[in-house]
Amino acid sequence: MTAIELRNIENYACRGVNLKVFSGELLVLLCPNGAGKTTLLNIIAGLTGYRGSVHFDGRPIDELPTQERKVGYLFQDLVLFPHLDMASNIAYGLRVQRWSNEKIELRVKELLRLFKIEHLAAAYPWHLSGGEKQRVALSRALAPYPKILLLDEPLSSLDWQTSQYLRFELKDLQRQLGITTLYVTHDLTEAKDVADRMAIVLEGRIEQIGRLEDLQTGPWAKQT
């Protein structure tokens, strides 16, 4: 498990962001569209430029390229490869990292079992429901044993019933794995269901941070 700290982060969307994410917690970034929450995930993953410093377990990682930060990232657009079946989609990043075929096969089977999607191993994306695609995409993000998991509005494309079911499943999985997770949403109900703590982001700044009971009142509530 890895603790994250952002120190005085600045760029085109962020305005002096200071943020600590405790080891093993699920922190929700709650804010309206365009407030800078996705940019913060991209900074942690090393996908966009910034001033300031990002620390993992107290060590600066600003000079580390994306592939060495050991971050799993589930983008808002799932981007499953349409020409690959689900087992191959999950294995894709492992092949890029040159894992052996034996290790890839074992890891893919483990994830298919964990997400209860063994029956989808040979299926292609167009055969899957929204919830099934979400499980495959999350499996792919977790495949290389990342230290940190970044989830950018992971349930926004799903219907209400599927979203409600998956948010509890995702929270249970996060607790089971103990992986430090940042979860972006603009849905307050969704945030309440999954968060250990919430950070309210408005116009590129952290306005409030704390547990749900600490954030029941305030100007942010009118903007979510």
Side-chain angles (χ1 to χ4, degrees):
M1 294 185 286
T2 301
I4 306 167
E5 184 176 1
L6 307 183
R7 300 181 182 178
N8 301 314
I9 296 297
E10 298 263 357
N11 71 358
Y12 61 90
C14 298
R15 305 288 181 266
V17 172
N18 291 282
L19 178 67
K20 291 183 179 180
V21 186
F22 303 131
S23 176
E25 86 165 325
L26 194 159
L27 178 75
V28 170
L29 299 176
L30 178 66
C31 44
N33 290 328
K37 55 190 183 296
T38 298
T39 301
L40 283 175
L41 297 190
N42 289 339
I43 286 169
I44 293 168
L47 297 174
T48 191
Y50 60 92
R51 299 178 297 280
S53 188
V54 178
H55 291 240
F56 290 175
D57 286 336
R59 297 182 178 182
I61 53 89
D62 307 293
E63 301 302 320
L64 283 182
T66 299
Q67 64 271 21
E68 294 182 21
R69 295 192 180 196
K70 296 184 178 179
V71 170
Y73 200 153
L74 183 61
F75 297 93
Q76 185 174 0
D77 297 324
L78 300 180
V79 198
L80 295 178
F81 300 111
H83 63 291
L84 298 179
D85 63 26
M86 294 305 94
S88 298
N89 263 280
I90 295 169
Y92 181 82
L94 306 182
R95 297 197 185 282
V96 170
Q97 295 182 19
R98 300 182 183 279
W99 284 36
S100 70
N101 289 335
E102 181 180 4
K103 286 185 177 181
I104 290 173
E105 183 177 355
L106 288 173
R107 181 58 173 159
V108 170
K109 285 183 177 179
E110 179 184 9
L111 288 163
L112 290 169
R113 184 169 56 252
L114 179 65
F115 284 90
K116 300 179 176 63
I117 52 174
E118 296 101 320
H119 60 293
L120 300 176
Y124 286 82
W126 59 83
H127 294 143
L128 273 58
S129 68
E132 290 168 341
K133 290 178 182 178
Q134 204 72 24
R135 289 180 176 89
V136 172
L138 186 56
S139 297
R140 186 174 63 185
L142 290 169
Y145 296 104
K147 293 182 177 180
I148 292 163
L149 181 61
L150 306 178
L151 305 174
D152 189 2
E153 299 194 44
L155 308 179
S156 61
S157 63
L158 303 177
D159 63 83
W160 181 85
Q161 186 174 9
T162 304
S163 173
Q164 185 181 44
Y165 176 79
L166 281 182
R167 71 185 63 161
F168 292 111
E169 183 179 275
L170 192 153
K171 178 61 178 177
D172 287 342
L173 177 68
Q174 190 269 339
R175 285 174 175 163
Q176 178 181 341
L177 297 176
I179 187 171
T180 306
T181 301
L182 273 82
Y183 184 119
V184 162
T185 183
H186 59 263
D187 186 313
L188 180 57
T189 301
E190 186 178 325
K192 288 178 179 178
D193 286 342
V194 301
D196 294 324
R197 292 189 302 150
M198 284 189 255
I200 311 304
V201 184
L202 293 174
E203 298 180 352
R205 295 180 174 85
I206 304 292
E207 294 292 332
Q208 295 189 54
I209 185 168
R211 296 188 179 276
L212 175 61
E213 56 268 24
D214 302 322
L215 304 174
Q216 288 288 0
T217 62
W220 67 270
K222 300 177 182 179
Q223 301 187 48
T224 56

